[in-house]
Amino acid sequence: MIRKKLFAALMYVLACCTVLSACTSTTKEETEQSSEKKAKKKSKTSKDKDDKKSKEGTEKESEESKENLSNKPKKDEDFEGNIDDTKREELKAQTVETLDTMLASEALTIMWEGIGNGIDGKITLGRYLDGDRKIYFLSANEDDPSKRLYTMTDTNRAYISYDTKNWGPAEEKERLTGPPMLASSCPSYLSLIYSALEEGFDIKYLPETNMYEFESNAEKIKDVDIHSISSKINTKSQYDEFADEFVLNDINIKSFALGIAKKVYRFTYENGTFLIMEELYDKDDNKFETSILIVMQSSDPNAKKVAVEMFDTIDGNFNGQ
């Protein structure tokens, strides 16, 4: 059951990777309608070649990632149970390496899915580093699961669309703060995993899914330094940029209010992809909420360029650039 749910979530995020390229093509086309015919034809010819190349690259990346995660290597399939000290140190090193890689990446795709307790929904976020700027492209369910709201922001200005064709300025503050908040989930969860490993939490290997599992409760987590990993990474300055978001994340990690008695985490690192599941249980050991986070690097060299050009085009339409 877990494997099916993880595979379904992965397929969803891979499918969403193609949306940005398609959106960019549409936005750029409509903006260029005001150009002279000759210049437009020349630009469109060049753009079509670039879009075709970008789409082919994204499709290739999706197929490769799909194959990699659907055929996970079972390195420890002959073992099941709590890990030993050697494996614990290996996982600590792998967690540090994964966090460094994710924080340094110029193009990340982040997918979150919530199940149960009124949080049902899916959000896909692209995070792109452009010099000192961070460009975010977010796609999320609104009240109607069949409809999606798209947001683009550089955290200074934000724009929304329901069809990726007609964009307008966003008035809600959360359109600026929401994308960085979701992006901060990646370093927060990796920090939690490292702390659990360092503090000696029982970490169980699950061979059927090639994942690792640990539990947390109010007593176990209350005195744990969640950010001990910060002294081990090479990207501390990038890590510290999430300081504001960490305040709320830390509260959520250590909070066991609202009927939460236990939290169960399952995680894995595979081929440049980080995946973690969080399950909430009540005092009767009934699971009532599940969330899944998948973070993966984009191997498409055009992903960052496409996102930056798309935002600049939209932003220029409203700010005369």
Side-chain angles (χ1 to χ4, degrees), residues 16-262:
C16 287
C17 288
T18 63
V19 172
L20 184 57
S21 293
C23 293
T24 305
S25 178
T26 301
T27 303
K28 203 169 183 181
E29 262 184 29
E30 295 192 357
T31 302
E32 290 175 349
Q33 285 179 357
S34 61
S35 302
E36 294 180 4
K37 186 175 181 180
K38 185 176 180 179
K40 177 181 175 182
K41 182 176 181 181
K42 181 179 180 181
S43 177
K44 187 175 185 301
T45 300
S46 176
K47 178 179 68 63
D48 287 344
K49 290 180 179 179
D50 290 342
D51 286 351
K52 182 178 180 181
K53 183 177 180 181
S54 177
K55 182 177 180 182
E56 289 174 349
T58 303
E59 290 175 348
K60 181 179 180 181
E61 175 189 350
S62 297
E63 288 302 318
E64 289 176 350
S65 299
K66 186 190 303 181
E67 181 178 351
N68 287 339
L69 282 209
S70 63
N71 296 286
K72 288 183 177 181
K74 300 295 184 64
K75 297 179 182 178
D76 301 321
E77 64 181 352
D78 294 330
F79 170 79
E80 180 175 8
N82 291 340
I83 62 173
D84 59 19
D85 290 342
T86 299
K87 175 56 70 173
R88 187 178 296 271
E89 292 303 314
E90 288 178 5
L91 285 174
K92 285 172 64 177
Q94 194 172 6
T95 303
V96 169
E97 180 182 4
T98 300
L99 180 54
D100 270 332
T101 299
M102 297 301 181
L103 288 175
S105 176
E106 294 189 348
L108 280 182
T109 297
I110 303 166
M111 181 269 181
W112 174 89
E113 180 176 2
I115 305 164
N117 200 30
I119 67 164
D120 292 13
K122 296 178 181 179
I123 301 175
T124 304
L125 177 69
R127 180 177 183 265
Y128 308 96
L129 304 185
D130 181 45
D132 294 332
R133 293 195 305 170
K134 297 175 183 64
I135 304 297
Y136 295 94
F137 177 84
L138 185 146
S139 171
N141 289 115
E142 286 291 275
D143 296 332
D144 185 347
S146 66
K147 296 181 180 180
R148 301 196 67 77
L149 173 68
Y150 301 91
T151 302
M152 288 212 78
T153 181
D154 64 352
T155 70
N156 292 313
R157 290 187 289 271
Y159 303 94
I160 59 173
S161 173
Y162 287 92
D163 58 10
T164 71
K165 297 179 181 179
N166 302 295
W167 292 84
E171 298 179 358
E172 304 91 340
K173 182 181 179 180
E174 55 264 30
R175 303 303 178 194
L176 296 174
T177 60
M181 194 73 218
L182 177 57
S184 72
S185 298
C186 175
S188 281
Y189 274 129
L190 287 167
S191 298
L192 172 62
I193 291 170
Y194 185 88
S195 297
L197 290 163
E198 189 173 54
E199 291 292 327
F201 283 29
D202 288 338
I203 311 290
K204 183 179 180 180
Y205 177 66
L206 307 173
E208 67 274 13
T209 55
N210 197 29
M211 301 183 76
Y212 297 90
E213 177 185 277
F214 66 93
E215 297 182 4
S216 177
N217 57 44
E219 184 65 26
K220 289 174 68 174
I221 198 69
K222 67 177 183 179
D223 296 324
V224 171
D225 177 9
I226 301 175
H227 299 286
S228 59
I229 196 173
S230 64
S231 63
K232 309 296 182 181
I233 57 177
N234 298 317
T235 50
K236 191 174 185 305
S237 60
Q238 292 95 318
Y239 185 87
D240 290 342
E241 289 177 3
F242 287 108
D244 291 341
E245 288 78 14
F246 286 158
V247 173
L248 181 57
N249 290 348
D250 292 357
I251 292 174
N252 288 334
I253 287 173
K254 293 196 173 187
S255 174
F256 284 81
L258 302 176
I260 304 172
K262 179 178 71 175

